[in-house]
Amino acid sequence: MKSPLLSLPGAVAAEGQDEGVAAHYGDLFREQRALADGKGFVDLSHRGVVTVTGDDRLAWLHLLLTQHVSELPAGEATEALVLTANGHIEHALYLVDDSTTVWIHVEPGTQEALLAYLESMKFFYRVEVADRTEEYAVVHLPAGSIAPVPEGTAVRETAQGRDLFLPRERLETFAEEHAPAIGILAHEALRVEAHRPRLTFETDHRTIPHELGWIGSAVHLQKGCYRGQETVARVQNLGKPPRRLVFLHLDGSEVHLPGHGTPLRLASDGPEGRKLGFITTSARHHELGPIALALVKRNVPADAPLIADTTAAAQEVVVEP
């Protein structure tokens, strides 16, 4: 979905996973500061939107997702995962129930596969699932924003702010009323600062929830019966995840940020040393400078200086080793 807000002055289109919205509108750090101060909004209209309706919607989702949602109060936001049979992360869902409909937003381009999975699991339950991406756009108002929400809009409110499921025909009017528009790069920089993982950025085909710290926020340990639950329970009770998420402070003298997949090695071993992990997301932060999230092997010492190619990187623990 290509956003009409790419026609706003200064808009520079994002690439890769976030193609379709603006990377920034001409001043990355100004946009970050505005977002941190609770001003403006972020266009996330490229994200997929799925709805679930019907009397059994919460009880049914409770059987499929890693989160406890059978008694989810109306208006209370949560997040959940869909796992493979081996416990690997397949989908990440950000959802809220408005008392008649569960509204879900997901990574761009993943809604069709999610919808196919949900349709295959309906059986005799009184539920209807629908892809609403062409009808609704997600926009984000940061924490502290006092901007009004259009009447009748479904809202998912968390500590990071409010995600609005806005009819697409209202997107340009919303932008006029809630300026300034803020690009996805600013949103991503604050996500990295907050150590929040993102599907396909921090995950690969073998990622399990424990590695990213998704236990608690997206995985409820006191429920079972969902696909992949055996792996979650086994790692929680008997073992340790093979990798762990870390936050990195990168050398600010480097011109280029190390991109997704850049190998990490011990600084003492140099660029030819053994690969111990890789960069998942890097960003330039308005206060912290160059920062990144990364996955490293569990046994990498938490205080060990690392290098990403030739860029020095100092660790902060996100997931305990």
Side-chain angles (χ1 to χ4, degrees):
M1 303 296 292
K2 184 176 180 180
S3 173
L5 304 190
L6 285 170
S7 63
L8 291 178
V12 175
E15 299 177 345
Q17 182 82 0
D18 290 319
E19 182 180 0
V21 296
H24 60 84
Y25 293 90
D27 192 335
L28 174 60
F29 291 153
R30 177 188 59 79
E31 293 170 33
Q32 281 189 36
R33 287 190 289 270
L35 199 60
D37 290 340
K39 300 174 183 177
F41 75 97
V42 183
D43 177 12
L44 300 177
S45 61
H46 62 320
R47 292 185 65 82
V49 176
V50 173
T51 59
V52 183
T53 55
D55 293 343
D56 295 337
R57 64 190 183 282
L58 291 176
W60 176 67
L61 286 171
H62 184 79
L63 298 175
L64 305 178
L65 306 182
T66 58
Q67 188 57 273
H68 196 299
V69 297
S70 60
E71 301 169 4
L72 184 68
E76 182 174 311
T78 192
E79 56 189 73
L81 306 174
V82 172
L83 306 181
T84 68
N86 293 323
H88 301 138
I89 298 170
E90 193 167 66
H91 293 284
L93 290 68
Y94 302 85
L95 57 98
V96 66
D97 181 69
D98 68 0
S99 78
T100 62
T101 302
V102 176
W103 293 84
I104 304 166
H105 69 79
V106 295
E107 286 298 322
T110 65
Q111 66 271 16
E112 291 184 3
L114 174 62
L115 194 71
Y117 171 67
L118 295 178
E119 285 284 358
S120 73
M121 301 300 291
K122 285 171 64 173
F123 303 117
F124 56 84
Y125 289 93
R126 297 171 295 173
V127 294
E128 294 295 332
V129 295
D131 182 353
R132 309 295 294 275
T133 308
E134 292 190 1
E135 303 166 65
Y136 288 90
V138 180
V139 295
H140 174 77
L141 293 173
S145 171
I146 59 174
V149 175
E151 186 176 353
T153 302
V155 178
R156 180 180 177 274
E157 185 167 3
T158 68
Q160 288 77 46
R162 291 172 288 171
D163 296 335
L164 280 54
F165 295 86
L166 188 74
R168 283 195 179 270
E169 64 266 20
R170 299 186 189 176
L171 189 55
E172 291 179 273
T173 300
F174 182 90
E176 294 173 0
E177 297 173 348
H178 294 75
I182 293 170
I184 192 71
L185 288 182
H187 189 260
E188 283 289 277
L190 299 191
R191 177 182 71 82
V192 173
E193 178 192 15
H195 307 164
R196 297 196 307 274
R198 183 177 171 188
L199 186 77
T200 74
F201 285 70
E202 277 62 58
T203 67
D204 57 23
H205 66 284
R206 60 191 180 96
T207 306
I208 61 175
H210 294 78
E211 295 177 323
L212 302 184
W214 250 329
I215 301 298
S217 64
V219 178
H220 196 288
L221 292 174
Q222 302 306 313
K223 68 169 296 251
C225 299
Y226 58 89
R227 189 174 68 178
Q229 186 265 340
E230 295 83 357
T231 297
V232 171
R234 184 167 60 250
V235 174
Q236 183 68 22
N237 295 321
L238 301 176
K240 296 178 180 179
R243 302 177 296 181
R244 59 186 179 87
L245 186 69
V246 297
F247 176 79
L248 299 176
H249 292 275
L250 302 175
D251 180 4
S253 65
E254 296 285 346
V255 175
H256 299 290
L257 288 174
H260 177 85
T262 301
L264 284 167
R265 298 175 171 86
L266 290 177
S268 58
D269 292 343
E272 303 303 320
R274 183 166 60 98
K275 179 181 175 181
L276 300 175
F278 62 93
I279 297 287
T280 58
T281 307
S282 57
R284 296 191 186 278
H285 192 275
H286 68 289
E287 290 182 341
L288 300 176
I291 56 176
L293 293 175
L295 273 175
V296 300
K297 294 182 178 181
R298 178 176 52 84
N299 58 2
V300 173
D303 59 351
L306 304 176
I307 54 170
D309 279 343
T310 58
T311 301
Q315 298 180 68
E316 281 187 16
V317 173
V318 177
V319 174
E320 292 288 343

